Amino acid sequence: MAGLDDVVAADTVLSDVDGANGRLVIRGYALQEIAGRVTFEAAAHLLLDGLLEDLPDPAEFPRRLGLARAEVFEHVAALDSGLAACPPVDAVRALMARLPDGEDLGCALRLIAAPAVFAAAVTRIRRGERALAPDPLLSHAADVLRMTTGAAPGPARTAALDAYLVTIVDHGLNASTFAARVTASTLAGLTSAVLAGLSALKGPLHGGAPGPVIEMLDEIGSPDRATAWLEAALDRGERLMGFGHRIYRVRDPRADCLKHAVQALAASSPQLPGRIALAEAVEAAAIDILRRRKPDRPLQTNVEFYTAVLLEALGFPPDAFTCIFAMGRVAGWIAHAREQVLSGRLIRPKSRYVGPAPRRAA
Ligand code: ACO
């Protein structure tokens, strides 16, 4: 019961995670059909279709999302030094909590725009730089890269970020999506549902893992040190970040999409091929060690391992990786929240009381 393994808590048309065969379907498309082939806006539109009144058509949606980025940028003024000193995901969450709650298209667009705009602003302000206003005419991925780095990204970097955002846009009833659906089921509103999702996402067992993956790669340093480092970490009782999954019993299909995306960038940076080679060596050693040490539990690479390598290559700081995850997953949270409101009931399971029998108060 603990962990609700195998409990089906919702019917959804949004995505299907086949853990035995390592397949992910997003609204009728195998992940490999869309990741690396469509933009984030197209994937978000695919999820939201039929769930929001007045949803613009796919050609108009990117422009409306661009306008929403410009609209939410005004809240960056509320980013004071205290907030900027918090972990980026906490600062982004605090800024998102300023957005009004609701169930309408405008609310949904602002929430999809917000992690992108706020994460870029928080990243720059923490580096002592000025936050850059959005350019509503750019694609979402291109604008995120421009707002973060200050330079217009080339098509390869934009395509790599689109591939990432599409790969992680939705994934069944994962912990953050469940949190969002529970909150939506009380009719609290989309902002509340998204804040619940973001709060669940930040933990290291969920979307907080890729930052520690970078720490692991940095500490290992070279392929020949991988096995000894990983063995020592397991001897200390630690988990290897980027490995294992509640549902997948085989390799997470998202890992390969992200590996392809980072390999496509390899020519653009002299350091990247070496970093990829290190990651591949660590991955191979980790799978081998986990197979030996946990023979009863198939533990394979999950989405977070190559997420770390890709987001690092795109210039995002590791402490902001969870915010970049939220940039994509926010579309899934909103689609699930709307699906819950339109077709679900209040989610209210029971607990089993295992405390003391009733007694007299002293
Ligand atoms: N490293 C070492 N051992 C592991 C790992 C790991 N990464 N993952 C699971 N195990 C072991 C556990 O210690 C446990 O062993 P035991 O039975 O001897 O105690 C066994 O495998 C089963 O572990 P559970 O905790 O029951 O597995 P669960 O399904 O709850 O965990 C999880 C899934 C949380 C992802 C886990 O694999 C983990 O902690 N991985 C590392 C963190 C990580 O990469 N998180 C990102 C997940 S992807 C995502 O959320 C987007």
Side-chain angles (χ1 to χ4, degrees), residues 2-3 5 168 171 174-175 201 203-210 213 234 237-249 252 254 290 293-294 297-300 302-305 307 325 329:
D5 302 42
I168 54 88
H171 200 242
N174 59 87
L201 183 75
L205 299 189
H206 190 11
V213 169
L234 289 174
E238 293 172 12
R239 288 184 176 208
L240 304 182
M241 290 293 140
F243 298 91
H245 198 274
R246 174 62 61 81
I247 307 283
Y248 290 120
R249 290 292 160 259
D252 184 333
R254 299 170 297 176
L290 288 169
R293 289 215 183 194
K294 306 269 179 198
R297 177 89 184 174
L299 294 170
Q300 289 284 337
N302 67 42
V303 64
E304 302 289 41
F305 190 74
T307 286
F325 195 145
R329 183 58 59 83

Side-chain angles (χ1 to χ4, degrees), residues 196-240:
L198 183 58
S199 300
L201 183 75
K202 71 174 243 189
L205 299 189
H206 190 11
V213 169
I214 292 296
E215 285 166 27
M216 174 174 74
L217 293 178
D218 286 345
E219 283 180 29
I220 293 174
S222 65
D224 54 306
R225 286 166 40 89
T227 299
W229 191 97
L230 296 167
E231 296 272 19
L234 289 174
D235 288 345
R236 291 192 298 271
E238 293 172 12
R239 288 184 176 208
L240 304 182

Side-chain angles (χ1 to χ4, degrees), residues 248-284:
Y248 290 120
R249 290 292 160 259
V250 294
R251 188 180 167 84
D252 184 333
R254 299 170 297 176
D256 283 327
C257 291
L258 299 182
K259 189 172 174 183
H260 290 148
V262 74
Q263 281 170 331
L265 284 180
S268 66
S269 143
Q271 290 88 27
L272 192 50
R275 194 63 161 167
I276 296 172
L278 173 63
E280 285 174 332
V282 170
E283 181 187 19

